Amino acid sequence: MRIVDFTKGDEEPRYIDNPGVRYLVGNDDVSIVRYGACGFVYSGLEGAIANTLFQVVPKNREITKWFLYFYLRSSIFQSVVERSASGVAMPAISFSLIKPIKIPVPPLPEQNRIVEILDTAFDAIDKAISKTATH
């Protein structure tokens, strides 16, 4: 997977014969763009990730992947990315930027409740965008 797979979606996929297990992500994994559109968070695709992307794996099981996904998309996290990105022509973030970030983690039932609320809100936004795009 490359950045254009998320930003354009109209390029033919490229395939890698044997990328190695550490470069494989599944549909429910959370990954983030390192270069250019740095901080763009995605999930829902599976395959081998390019070196312009990296998978974000929680250190413990006290955080759900979907709560992590929404937290990384939040303005709180994205402002850290904006302030910390380096490079003029192509902004970039590093592993060392992401690794030490402390994420406030509510209990699992609360995480699930938050994710459900956000899922519903984003679904409503997507439907509204779809309706305006077809009119």
Side-chain angles (χ1 to χ4, degrees), residues 32-34 36-41 72-88 90-94 97-98 101:
I32 191 166
V33 173
R34 295 179 60 195
C38 58
F40 180 81
V41 179
L72 295 177
R73 291 185 63 188
S74 75
S75 60
I76 295 167
F77 177 78
Q78 290 297 316
S79 66
V80 171
V81 169
E82 287 174 21
R83 287 191 315 269
S84 304
S86 61
V88 179
M90 183 177 289
I93 57 174
S94 66
L97 167 72
I98 304 297
I101 292 176

